[in-house]
Amino acid sequence: MSDLGVSVVICVYTEDRWEDILAAVSSVRAQSRPALETLLVVDHNPALRERLAKEYKEADEVRVLANAGPRGLSAGRNTGIAASRGEVIAFLDDDAVAERDWLRRFAEGYADPRVMAVGGRTMPVWASGRRPAWFPEEFDWVVGCTYKGLPTGLVRVRNVLGGNASFRRTAFDAAGGFATGIGRDGDRRPLGCEETELCIRLSRARPDAILLIDDRAVIHHRVPEAREHFGYFRTRAYAEGLSKALVARSVGADKGLESERRYATRVLPAGVARGLRDAALARPGGAGRAGAIVAGVLTAAGGYVVGSVRARRGGASFSVAAIEGADHDRGGSS
């Protein structure tokens, strides 16, 4: 097993998720392979930062930091990367908990020095206690989870998913940090794709780089009740289209939409067919799932068109900053 030290970065922004944040940190502290440190990066919320600092003042392995960049998830992650000491940096969503072997699975992936990133599997925890009958598994990315159509096992991928991912530190030395202006910004429109853009940029900077998903590295991601409704589904799909347009602008449509073409031409038609078959067999939600897939595709396509027009007109922009590493020594795993 790799003996690389692993730092865990959890970006937080609201006291509404207080219990979720505590649960996320607890899950890291309970890992079978201990983290070198856990960094809580607070996104421009002094009250939350002060409260967390008091909560963890006795915990040497937990540090609370303020986002040193502009508001948003990408800048928060960049702050965590720069302040961390580990040779590998793992990212966990603030409303998710990791299974006990999460970090152990990540660390195992770095035995090959060519591996620059390892992602895992994210399972939804529905607030209502069960998946809405109409909600297609092919669109679980809408709620930040692993979706039907991704390869299973330990496999090479174009990009990892940001809420459950790790990167070798040298990946950021080669490619820079997460791009600001693409991803989430607190409670504003639910944009994404910052990890996709980074991974494609990394593969260009390091053509020999290997990016993996190990679906044994599992986290459980809470899906609040508000995100179980079609209104959020549609909003998130539209935002994904906007984000994909920015990614395509950055890295070109060939790479930026490489995985999406397979998803749209193979995975989604199969999902529609299953939904219609279930409807014909009078199984609950079949027609709804088929309809949601079609609506999701059309809405995302609309967002992509709008985003592409804005990009051409110069109305949308993002930037990539180099990561300035901390001056202290980089430690090993405990």
Side-chain angles (χ1 to χ4, degrees), residues 192-273:
C193 294
E194 65 275 13
E195 67 275 3
T196 301
E197 193 275 339
L198 170 62
C199 288
I200 296 173
R201 185 164 22 99
L202 171 59
S203 293
R204 287 184 168 179
R206 289 284 304 270
D208 62 330
I210 295 173
L211 285 67
L212 300 174
I213 282 183
D214 186 341
D215 65 7
R216 300 170 300 172
V218 179
I219 70 169
H220 299 268
H221 185 273
R222 189 174 69 83
V223 181
E225 191 272 340
R227 297 186 181 183
E228 294 187 7
H229 300 289
F230 185 71
Y232 180 81
F233 178 93
R234 184 177 53 198
T235 299
R236 179 68 184 88
Y238 181 77
E240 184 74 1
L242 293 175
S243 300
K244 280 292 189 295
L246 280 175
V247 171
R249 178 189 175 204
S250 171
V251 301
D254 284 348
K255 272 294 182 184
L257 300 177
E258 183 180 51
S259 296
E260 288 73 14
R261 290 191 184 93
R262 176 188 173 277
Y263 172 73
T265 58
R266 298 183 186 179
V267 175
L268 295 184
V272 171

Side-chain angles (χ1 to χ4, degrees), residues 49-70:
R49 179 163 57 89
E50 183 178 350
R51 188 178 178 188
L52 286 169
K54 289 179 180 178
E55 179 72 23
Y56 292 109
K57 65 181 179 180
E58 309 264 336
D60 293 337
E61 82 281 14
V62 179
R63 288 195 282 152
V64 180
L65 311 171
N67 179 1

Side-chain angles (χ1 to χ4, degrees), residues 10-314:
I10 303 174
C11 295
V12 304
Y13 71 98
T14 175
E15 289 182 270
D16 292 343
R17 292 186 176 180
W18 179 256
E19 296 300 328
D20 292 330
I21 295 168
L22 299 187
V25 174
S26 293
S27 74
V28 175
R29 299 173 88 177
Q31 289 294 299
S32 61
R33 185 192 195 281
L36 177 66
E37 60 187 346
T38 299
L39 290 84
L40 291 170
V41 183
V42 184
D43 193 14
H44 298 270
N45 186 334
L48 176 58
R49 179 163 57 89
E50 183 178 350
R51 188 178 178 188
L52 286 169
K54 289 179 180 178
E55 179 72 23
Y56 292 109
K57 65 181 179 180
E58 309 264 336
D60 293 337
E61 82 281 14
V62 179
R63 288 195 282 152
V64 180
L65 311 171
N67 179 1
R71 187 181 301 275
L73 181 58
S74 290
R77 287 173 172 166
N78 291 341
T79 297
I81 296 163
S84 64
R85 296 182 293 122
E87 294 163 275
V88 170
I89 300 98
F91 299 93
L92 179 66
D93 276 345
D94 64 345
D95 52 356
V97 293
E99 291 192 0
R100 180 170 168 77
D101 289 335
W102 178 61
L103 288 183
R104 182 166 73 87
R105 298 303 185 187
F106 276 172
E108 289 172 349
Y110 291 100
D112 184 336
R114 297 173 299 169
V115 173
M116 290 288 114
V118 182
R121 178 161 52 102
T122 303
M123 306 297 293
V125 180
W126 303 94
S128 62
R130 58 187 296 180
R131 171 186 297 275
W134 63 269
F135 202 112
E137 293 181 38
E138 291 83 359
F139 272 78
D140 276 5
W141 55 263
V142 164
V143 291
C145 295
T146 300
Y147 56 90
K148 190 178 187 67
L150 280 179
T152 58
L154 178 63
V155 292
R156 292 186 68 163
V157 291
R158 179 194 67 178
N159 64 275
V160 296
L161 304 181
N164 179 12
S166 64
F167 291 84
R168 200 183 291 271
R169 178 175 295 279
T170 51
F172 302 110
D173 295 336
F178 289 92
T180 58
I182 294 182
R184 296 260 180 166
D185 179 1
D187 287 320
R188 293 174 59 188
R189 177 172 285 156
L191 300 172
C193 294
E194 65 275 13
E195 67 275 3
T196 301
E197 193 275 339
L198 170 62
C199 288
I200 296 173
R201 185 164 22 99
L202 171 59
S203 293
R204 287 184 168 179
R206 289 284 304 270
D208 62 330
I210 295 173
L211 285 67
L212 300 174
I213 282 183
D214 186 341
D215 65 7
R216 300 170 300 172
V218 179
I219 70 169
H220 299 268
H221 185 273
R222 189 174 69 83
V223 181
E225 191 272 340
R227 297 186 181 183
E228 294 187 7
H229 300 289
F230 185 71
Y232 180 81
F233 178 93
R234 184 177 53 198
T235 299
R236 179 68 184 88
Y238 181 77
E240 184 74 1
L242 293 175
S243 300
K244 280 292 189 295
L246 280 175
V247 171
R249 178 189 175 204
S250 171
V251 301
D254 284 348
K255 272 294 182 184
L257 300 177
E258 183 180 51
S259 296
E260 288 73 14
R261 290 191 184 93
R262 176 188 173 277
Y263 172 73
T265 58
R266 298 183 186 179
V267 175
L268 295 184
V272 171
R274 275 192 301 273
L276 294 176
R277 181 195 62 201
D278 288 346
L281 296 173
R283 293 172 179 166
R289 289 191 295 275
I293 290 174
V294 173
V297 170
L298 294 177
T299 305
Y304 182 84
V305 170
V306 171
S308 298
V309 171
R310 288 179 181 173
R312 285 197 296 271
R313 292 177 177 174

